[in-house]
């Protein structure tokens, strides 16, 4: 393999695969750097179905979804570096990698960061009590059960209602575990509605909202947990705390973009997503470096990761070919009702603009309103808007006269 | 039957220093602990500070051994190949704190501490960028240092083992009998003899003491809770920053670690029984105290909570050599125990030699630090991977630890390690994701190395199994 490329995509999961394939269609030399020994990323351990409904109009498992893209590589000249971790990216796009083959320098003209996300650790939620064996993140549990063929315990409490936690509740139940319940600190679940129904309701696994684990008990192995109701100010009602006997705690307490390389490069970060600040092309604060997928902001559906990452690959190719129009930038802001918005910047033109965002709480019968200089250019009525489900609005840039602001307004009459 | 000059009970930092010091003086020593690894008590969960010695009350063992120990550390660190941060420390306070800081300075000078200086706000700002606006003065102790207390304990034991020391772990001693030619020590399965007994068992001190027929030493426990922050927050405190001390405690400090993290703590809560749980109230106390001292703190970047227990007996260390019984007891080694440990070990060694133990010259085998790929040049790393491709196989992505480094530690350690033991030696699973990516693979690598099933790998403690078999039939078997 050569060491000079037009584009290097870092990460060979759903995001990396989609952007590399798109970029290679522009006749450019593209490489994927993947730290695992196979492509597909976390999809490989997601053996449940539900992937691809939107992108392929087919219901696929995670590995099946990944394989569709891995097969598409056959028709391309994309080089794939497996078992390879990026140690450092220097300015001028010089990438230093490590693998069992040794250290390698790879030089390129454009970079797509498709590094995915990681799970937040127990410290992030200040999990109190003892620190015995039997506390495990949902992703680790998924890997152990699905890929390593081992079980993680018998009586299981799940902390947090993230999607992997919900999926694992059902998965562990399948394998004969007693899944005692899912405890969510917020008054609403953080996973998708369909996962609540298909993973919990269908198996009679209770979901406790506004209730969380306040203390872990057990010296060598988990012996149980104390759970308590959460008050409106997020303090715990310890008078009403109760003990639940269990031997395992699965943490599903949120994902956050793996932004180490972005930080190392000094790319501007968005504290609301913990990913990079990007423009409409998914270009970061350094020209030629693009970010997409869960490494940019955590998605709930892989199909959306694919679509976003295709755009990143396409735009990175255009950048390398000198075809990216970045004249007359305008900002995208968000107002009431939103937790964040992506992108932060767009450019005047006549193409379409995709805006992604999450709401800050549950809205019933509300309008998503996009305004430009006080002129309402888009209004979408939604029966329900959930923080757990990423929303997107597509608008034509022709209609826009300046900076954009996105807000959510609830209908008062209900 | 195997016979040793000295049997040392307790494989914490004090036991490790005594073990190593005596071994290097040519004495035949054995280190005994009931745990499955060394460094399972206070030595793995303390602040890791080598104090200058201004805080100890005048004319105490604490003051004496702290000041002596502080001076010994740089050379020991060099010998062991372990990092030491010679960063100094600060005690800071508001505009009314000058009197207390002056008293600390005077006490320090009395204790023999050099390089102490009181700084005003502008002096402080040259050292630290994140001090709260109310901080007006600080006592700068240039001689204070930071180390990793568990790395040192592990390295000292390793050095001793390389030079003729022996270790018995998982050893639950149940009888110690004085005979004409020394002590007969037994756990009911394995017996051995030793001329001298050194008891450095911290909370277990009276278990050994009673077997030797010594009266119980009254112990009290003070729990210290900590929070550890993501490496991104490094630089919040460039050295240990203490608040002005109270009667009971040096207070909750902000401190960097030699590995590039930052931590806050410890609290000081008196507890009845030895336990290391973390409490909501403790964490809140830490947050409130730190905000009075440090700005720009992002508590969302906490990656881990932990706690350690200081076992005390009275206000000072309790160090006693019963010459009739050939029995040394070192108890109540709370703060500044880490700072004092090398000097205590030297004192113990000298006392035993005075009593008649013969020093012998040994052919010293130096301990080589564990490989750390991040400390190698690109050329060195390339060569290493050429020799062994496992050094190019990253397992822990947060801390960039390779399979080669893990296998090296497993190879070098003469007893079966737990995942927690690997973590303390190499930082695998200690990074910002706390093992959510690499934990499953680490278990697999360990099981392969030990040629056992993954379900036989422990986390920490004998009953701490991590995984089990999948139940045949799963949900349908019910």
């Amino acid at each position: 393999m050569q060491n000079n490329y037009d584009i290097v995509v870092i990460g060979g999961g759903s995001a990396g695969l989609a952007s590399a394939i798109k970029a290679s269609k522009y006749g450019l030399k593209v490489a994927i750097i993947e730290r695992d020994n196979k492509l597909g990323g976390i999809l490989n351990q997601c053996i449940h179905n539900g992937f691809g409904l939107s992108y392929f109009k087919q219901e696929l498992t995670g590995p099946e979804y990944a394989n569709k893209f891995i097969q598409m590589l056959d028709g391309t000249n994309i080089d794939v570096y497996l078992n390879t971790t990026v140690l450092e990216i220097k300015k001028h796009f010089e990438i230093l990698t490590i693998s069992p083959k040794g250290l390698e320098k790879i030089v390129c003209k454009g970079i797509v960061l498709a590094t995915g996300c990681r799970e937040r650790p127990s410290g992030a939620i200040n999990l109190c009590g003892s620190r015995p064996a039997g506390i495990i993140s949902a992703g680790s549990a998924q890997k152990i059960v699905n890929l390593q063929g081992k079980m993680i315990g018998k009586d299981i409490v799940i902390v947090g209602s993230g999607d992997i936690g919900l999926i694992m509740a059902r998965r562990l139940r399948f394998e004969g575990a007693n899944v005692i319940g899912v405890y969510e600190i917020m008054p609403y679940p953080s996973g998708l509605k369909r996962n609540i129904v298909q993973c919990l309701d269908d198996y009679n696994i209770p979901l406790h909202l506004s209730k969380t684990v306040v203390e872990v008990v057990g010296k060598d192995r988990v012996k149980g947990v104390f759970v308590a109701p959460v008050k409106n100010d997020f303090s715990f009602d310890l008078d009403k705390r109760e003990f639940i006997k269990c031997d395992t705690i699965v943490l599903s307490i949120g994902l956050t973009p793996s932004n180490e390389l972005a930080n190392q490069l000094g790319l501007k970060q968005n504290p609301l997503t913990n990913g990079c600040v990007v423009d409409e092309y998914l270009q970061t604060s350094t020209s030629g470096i693009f970010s997409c997928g869960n490494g940019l902001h955590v998605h709930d559906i892989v199909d959306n990761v694919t679509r976003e990452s295709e755009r990143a690959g396409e735009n990175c190719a255009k950048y390398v070919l000198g075809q990216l129009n970045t004249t007359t930038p305008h900002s995208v802001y968000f107002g009431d009702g939103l937790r964040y918005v992506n992108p932060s910047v767009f450019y005047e033109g006549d193409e379409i603009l995709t805006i992604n965002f999450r709401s800050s709480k549950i809205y019933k019968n509300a309008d998503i309103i996009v305004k430009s200089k006080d002129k309402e250019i888009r209004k979408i009525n939604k029966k329900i808007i959930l923080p757990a489900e990423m929303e997107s609005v597509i608008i034509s840039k022709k209609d826009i006269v300046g900076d954009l602001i996105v807000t959510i307004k609830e209908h008062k009459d209900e | 039957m195997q016979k040793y000059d000295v049997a040392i009970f307790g494989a914490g930092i004090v036991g490790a220093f005594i073990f190593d010091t005596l071994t290097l003086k040519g004495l035949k020593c054995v280190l005994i602990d009931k745990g499955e690894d060394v460094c399972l008590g206070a030595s793995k969960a303390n602040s890791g500070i080598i104090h200058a010695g201004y805080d100890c009350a005048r004319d105490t063992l604490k003051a004496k051994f702290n000041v002596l120990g502080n001076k010994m550390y740089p050379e020991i660190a060099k010998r062991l190949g372990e990092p030491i941060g010679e960063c100094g420390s600060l005690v800071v306070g508001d505009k009314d704190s000058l009197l207390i800081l002056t008293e600390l300075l005077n006490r320090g000078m009395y204790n023999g501490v050099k390089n102490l200086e009181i700084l005003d706000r502008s002096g402080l700002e040259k050292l630290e960028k994140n001090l709260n606006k109310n901080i007006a003065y600080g006592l700068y102790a240039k001689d204070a240092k930071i180390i990793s207390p568990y790395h040192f304990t592990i390295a000292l034991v390793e050095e001793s083992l390389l030079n003729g020391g022996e270790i018995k772990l998982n050893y639950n001693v149940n009888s110690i009998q004085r005979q004409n030619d020394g002590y007969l020590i037994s756990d009911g399965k394995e017996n051995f003899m030793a001329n001298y007994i050194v008891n450095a068992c911290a909370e277990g001190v009276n278990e050994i003491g009673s077997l030797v027929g010594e009266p119980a030493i009254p112990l009290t426990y003070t729990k210290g809770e900590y929070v550890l922050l993501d490496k991104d927050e490094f630089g919040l405190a460039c050295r240990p920053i203490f608040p002005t001390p109270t009667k009971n405690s040096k207070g909750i400090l902000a401190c960097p670690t030699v590995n590039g993290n930052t931590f806050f703590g410890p609290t000081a809560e008196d507890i009845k029984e030895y336990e290391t749980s973390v409490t909501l109230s403790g964490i809140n106390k830490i947050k409130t105290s730190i905000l009075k001292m440090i700005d720009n703190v992002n508590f969302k970047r906490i990656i881990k909570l932990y706690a350690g227990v200081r076992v005390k007996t009275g206000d000072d260390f309790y160090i006693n050599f019963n010459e009739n019984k050939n029995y040394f007891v070192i108890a109540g080694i709370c703060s500044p125990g880490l700072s004092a440990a090398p000097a205590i070990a030297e004192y113990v060694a000298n006392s035993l030699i005075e009593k008649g133990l013969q020093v012998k010259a040994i052919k010293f085998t130096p301990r080589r630090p564990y490989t750390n790929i991040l400390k190698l040049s690109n050329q060195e790393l390339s060569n290493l991977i050429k020799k062994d491709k496992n050094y190019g196989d990253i397992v822990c992505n947060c801390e960039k630890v390779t399979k080669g480094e893990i296998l090296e530690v497993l190879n070098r350690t003469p007893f079966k390690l737990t995942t927690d033991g690997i973590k303390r030696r190499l930082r695998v699973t200690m990074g910002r994701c706390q093992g959510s990516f690499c934990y499953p693979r680490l278990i697999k690598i360990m099981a392969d190395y030990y040629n056992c099933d993954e379900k036989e790998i422990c986390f920490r403690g004998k009953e701490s199994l991590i995984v089990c078999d999948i139940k045949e039939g799963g949900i349908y078997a019910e």
Side-chain angles (χ1 to χ4, degrees):
Chain A
M1 280 190 273
Q2 65 179 54
N3 283 339
N4 281 295
Y5 292 94
D6 292 311
I7 294 174
V8 168
V9 177
I10 300 174
S14 50
L17 286 165
S19 49
I21 289 165
K22 269 287 177 201
S24 76
K25 299 226 160 105
Y26 284 76
L28 300 175
K29 275 296 291 172
V30 179
I32 298 176
I33 300 177
E34 166 56 42
R35 69 182 186 208
D36 210 338
N37 59 10
K38 55 180 170 294
L39 292 168
I42 296 301
L43 283 169
N44 289 323
Q45 68 189 54
C46 299
I47 63 169
H48 53 283
N49 57 2
F51 298 91
L53 284 168
S54 146
Y55 191 85
F56 289 113
K57 310 285 178 242
Q58 252 184 304
E59 192 168 39
L60 304 168
T61 65
E64 284 171 341
Y65 189 91
N67 273 331
K68 290 239 178 200
F69 289 91
I70 293 168
Q71 279 161 15
M72 286 182 217
L73 288 179
D74 281 345
T76 71
N77 58 356
I78 296 170
D79 281 344
V80 177
Y81 293 75
L82 293 177
N83 297 309
T84 305
T85 301
V86 173
L87 284 179
E88 195 185 358
I89 305 177
K90 289 199 184 124
K91 296 221 166 102
H92 319 299
F93 296 179
E94 192 183 290
I95 300 170
L96 177 67
T97 66
I98 183 171
S99 78
K101 287 181 191 149
L103 298 183
E104 214 164 338
K105 260 183 207 151
I106 298 174
V107 181
C108 61
K109 296 172 190 151
I111 293 175
V112 180
L113 296 174
T115 50
C117 57
R118 62 182 166 81
E119 299 178 275
R120 290 165 75 219
S122 66
I125 58 160
N126 295 358
L127 186 66
C128 285
S130 59
R131 296 167 298 288
I135 305 174
I136 191 161
S137 78
S140 295
Q142 192 174 43
K143 193 169 183 185
I144 287 171
V145 177
N146 291 352
L147 297 184
Q148 296 185 199
K150 288 283 167 188
M151 221 5 208
I152 54 158
K154 291 185 182 72
D155 299 304
I156 295 167
V157 159
I158 298 187
V159 183
S161 59
D163 285 309
I164 318 173
L166 303 176
I167 296 286
M168 282 315 290
R170 176 177 65 180
R171 186 76 187 89
L172 294 165
R173 186 71 200 95
F174 277 160
E175 295 303 344
N178 167 28
V179 181
I180 297 162
V182 176
Y183 294 85
E184 169 58 56
I185 191 168
M186 301 298 283
Y188 51 83
S190 66
L192 296 172
K193 179 77 188 160
R194 72 171 196 214
N195 284 334
I196 306 281
V197 174
Q198 294 171 8
C199 300
L200 302 186
D201 298 353
D202 288 358
Y203 296 88
N204 296 320
I205 299 169
L207 169 65
H208 305 272
L209 297 173
S210 295
K211 205 171 197 188
T212 195
V213 170
V214 293
E215 189 183 337
V216 177
V217 181
K219 192 167 170 287
D220 284 3
R221 176 84 195 190
V222 173
K223 290 249 155 55
V225 291
F226 281 98
V227 296
V230 180
K231 297 187 212 163
N232 288 337
D233 64 352
F234 288 103
S235 65
F236 305 133
D237 192 348
L238 294 176
D239 295 338
K240 289 192 189 143
R241 70 177 201 159
E242 54 181 314
F243 181 74
I244 295 168
K245 201 168 166 285
C246 64
D247 58 31
T248 306
I249 302 164
V250 172
L251 300 174
S252 177
I253 51 179
L255 303 168
T256 186
S258 292
N259 56 4
E260 288 76 12
L261 290 172
N263 276 331
Q264 200 191 78
L265 281 160
L267 305 179
K268 203 172 162 202
Q269 296 292 294
N270 181 345
L272 299 170
T273 57
N274 290 313
C276 290
V277 171
V278 290
D279 66 12
E280 65 168 301
Y281 304 125
L282 301 152
Q283 184 167 229
T284 65
S285 56
T286 295
S287 297
I289 302 181
F290 296 73
S291 173
C292 58
N294 286 345
L296 174 62
H297 53 155
V298 176
H299 295 62
D300 13 86
I301 299 173
V302 70
D303 307 57
N304 294 339
V305 168
T306 300
R307 288 202 179 91
E308 181 179 274
S309 306
E310 286 179 340
R311 288 201 289 126
E314 212 164 348
N315 291 326
C316 187
K318 285 183 183 166
Y319 166 84
V320 170
L321 296 168
Q323 297 170 0
L324 213 54
N325 161 33
T326 52
T327 50
T328 347
H330 293 291
S331 296
V332 186
Y333 299 106
F334 66 91
D336 290 347
L338 273 70
R339 199 161 76 202
Y340 72 84
V341 66
N342 250 339
S344 312
V345 174
F346 69 97
Y347 308 94
E348 274 183 18
D350 50 12
E351 307 94 339
I352 56 159
L353 173 65
T354 308
I355 301 173
N356 290 315
F357 62 89
R358 280 181 197 273
S359 69
S360 52
K361 58 171 194 166
I362 297 176
Y363 285 93
K364 285 180 181 160
N365 191 17
D367 290 331
I368 297 166
I369 300 165
V370 184
K371 279 185 181 173
S372 177
K373 293 233 168 133
D374 293 331
K375 183 188 152 203
E376 191 176 289
I377 56 170
R378 197 70 189 272
K379 183 160 144 183
I380 304 164
N381 182 256
K382 286 270 202 176
K383 278 203 185 104
I384 190 154
I385 304 173
L386 302 168
E389 307 197 0
M390 193 189 291
E391 294 287 341
S392 61
V393 183
I394 296 170
I395 47 178
S396 166
K397 290 205 281 186
K398 273 186 284 189
D399 304 333
I400 307 171
V401 287
D403 291 352
L404 288 177
I405 181 157
V406 188
T407 53
I408 298 174
K409 205 170 172 195
E410 205 155 26
H411 285 220
K412 287 259 161 61
D413 50 5
E414 279 198 46
Chain B
M1 195 184 305
Q2 184 59 261
K3 188 167 181 189
Y4 302 93
D5 292 324
V6 187
I8 300 133
F9 288 89
I13 188 74
V14 175
F17 260 118
I18 295 170
F19 180 45
D20 189 50
T21 306
L22 294 176
T23 303
L24 295 190
K25 288 182 193 295
L27 303 172
K28 187 79 192 144
C29 298
V30 61
L31 180 67
I32 302 137
D33 201 282
K34 64 183 174 192
E36 75 275 5
D37 197 351
V38 303
C39 199
L40 291 177
S43 305
K44 77 169 163 65
N46 62 70
S47 304
I49 298 168
I50 309 305
H51 297 278
Y54 54 79
D55 189 66
C56 314
R58 291 171 169 82
D59 303 318
T60 55
L61 293 175
K62 282 185 177 178
K64 176 181 156 192
F65 288 125
N66 181 348
V67 175
L68 284 171
N70 178 296
K71 291 189 187 125
M72 296 167 74
Y73 262 100
E75 207 187 304
I76 298 166
K78 206 171 152 193
R79 195 183 76 218
L80 295 172
E82 285 300 321
I84 183 163
E86 304 208 38
C87 50
S89 70
L90 282 174
V91 183
V92 297
D94 60 16
K95 58 182 173 32
D96 302 324
S97 65
L98 203 51
L99 214 62
I100 306 174
L101 296 179
T102 310
E103 155 59 14
L104 280 181
L105 177 100
N106 289 337
R107 203 192 302 165
M109 282 163 61
Y110 181 91
N111 289 347
V113 183
K114 302 228 163 55
N115 301 318
L116 289 171
E117 188 185 351
I118 290 182
L119 303 175
D120 61 9
R121 179 80 200 184
S122 70
L124 288 172
E125 281 177 2
K126 284 183 195 128
L127 296 175
E128 295 290 342
K129 302 283 173 252
N130 301 297
L131 292 174
N132 182 276
K133 63 178 188 323
N134 293 323
I135 300 297
Y137 298 103
L139 174 68
Y140 183 30
K142 285 188 190 139
D143 289 349
K145 307 158 188 33
I146 55 170
I147 64 162
S148 160
Y150 43 89
H151 282 177
F152 263 72
T153 311
I154 290 159
L156 286 163
V157 171
E158 231 196 15
E159 183 178 65
S160 184
L161 295 179
L162 281 170
N163 287 286
E166 290 179 34
I167 190 164
K168 292 185 198 300
L169 294 174
N170 297 308
Y171 194 93
N172 283 296
V173 58
N174 60 20
S175 94
I176 301 178
Q177 288 167 33
R178 186 88 191 260
Q179 300 181 339
N180 289 336
D181 53 345
Y183 282 102
L184 175 66
I185 298 161
S186 173
D187 68 344
K189 286 171 271 180
E190 187 190 352
N191 303 341
F192 60 92
M193 300 283 298
N195 285 327
Y196 289 84
I197 284 175
V198 175
N199 180 356
C201 273
E203 91 278 14
V205 70
N206 289 325
E207 288 168 36
I208 306 298
S210 70
L211 293 176
V212 184
E214 288 285 293
I217 300 164
L219 301 177
T220 57
Y221 306 113
T222 306
K223 184 161 76 177
E225 298 177 37
Y226 291 91
V227 305
L228 183 74
L229 275 74
D230 189 293
K231 279 187 170 175
D232 282 353
E233 304 300 300
F234 191 67
L236 263 180
C238 298
R239 53 188 57 67
I241 307 177
F242 298 87
T244 36
T246 61
K247 215 179 126 196
N248 293 325
S249 152
K250 294 191 188 72
I252 291 168
L253 61 136
C255 187
T257 74
V258 285
N259 296 311
N261 292 89
T262 300
F263 71 80
F264 303 142
T267 55
E269 194 204 343
D270 293 331
I271 50 171
K272 288 209 173 71
E273 275 171 43
Y274 190 100
E275 55 88 12
T276 59
S277 65
V278 181
T279 60
L280 277 172
S281 61
I283 299 309
N284 288 335
K285 229 176 261 174
I286 291 174
K287 290 179 178 173
T288 326
S289 314
I290 285 297
L291 289 177
K292 286 183 193 155
M293 207 166 70
I294 309 281
D295 287 344
N296 306 318
V297 179
N298 184 355
F299 290 116
K300 284 188 180 156
R301 307 312 299 271
I302 293 173
I303 58 171
K304 179 81 177 168
L305 314 179
Y306 60 100
V309 175
R310 292 92 111 178
V311 181
K312 300 182 184 176
T313 175
D315 290 330
D316 203 357
F317 296 152
Y318 179 80
I319 299 174
N320 185 45
F321 184 25
N322 184 332
E323 297 199 29
N324 293 326
K325 279 190 168 174
N326 285 354
Y327 171 74
F328 232 119
V329 59
I330 297 108
I333 309 296
C334 52
S335 180
L338 180 67
S339 321
I344 293 173
E346 206 57 46
Y347 170 78
V348 170
N350 290 338
S351 306
L352 294 177
I353 290 161
E354 248 171 60
K355 179 80 194 300
L357 270 179
Q358 290 293 313
V359 177
K360 285 185 249 5
I362 61 157
K363 189 177 166 294
F364 176 63
T365 308
R367 182 240 177 205
R368 152 178 79 80
Y370 298 131
T371 304
N372 178 346
I373 62 149
L374 297 179
K375 289 191 176 160
L376 301 178
S377 70
N378 286 353
Q379 193 53 54
E380 288 168 328
L381 182 52
S382 290
N383 293 342
L384 183 62
I385 298 171
K386 235 172 253 164
K387 256 189 264 165
D388 182 348
K389 65 178 176 17
N390 288 321
Y391 285 98
D393 184 356
I394 301 264
V395 175
C396 170
N397 209 57
C398 300
E399 297 290 324
K400 300 280 181 287
V401 184
T402 61
K403 186 176 175 187
E405 291 162 278
I406 294 170
L407 292 176
E408 177 186 320
V409 164
L410 291 171
N411 255 321
R412 274 171 68 161
T413 309
F415 45 88
K416 189 174 177 181
L417 286 171
T418 60
T419 59
D420 210 44
I422 292 273
K423 173 177 103 175
R424 277 193 296 282
R425 284 163 177 83
L426 281 178
R427 303 186 54 72
V428 199
T429 75
M430 209 176 209
R432 59 169 58 96
C433 92
Q434 290 282 303
S436 71
F437 279 117
C438 65
Y439 201 42
R441 186 163 177 220
L442 175 64
I443 299 167
K444 181 87 175 56
I445 290 170
M446 292 176 73
D448 287 348
Y449 177 83
Y450 289 123
N451 198 17
C452 67
D453 195 277
E454 285 154 69
K455 67 184 176 191
E456 291 165 56
I457 300 296
C458 283
F459 164 67
R460 176 177 61 229
K462 291 173 189 72
E463 311 286 319
S464 66
L465 298 172
I466 302 161
V467 301
C468 53
D469 281 329
I470 288 204
K471 185 165 134 192
E472 209 171 315
I475 195 170
Y476 303 104
E478 287 167 14

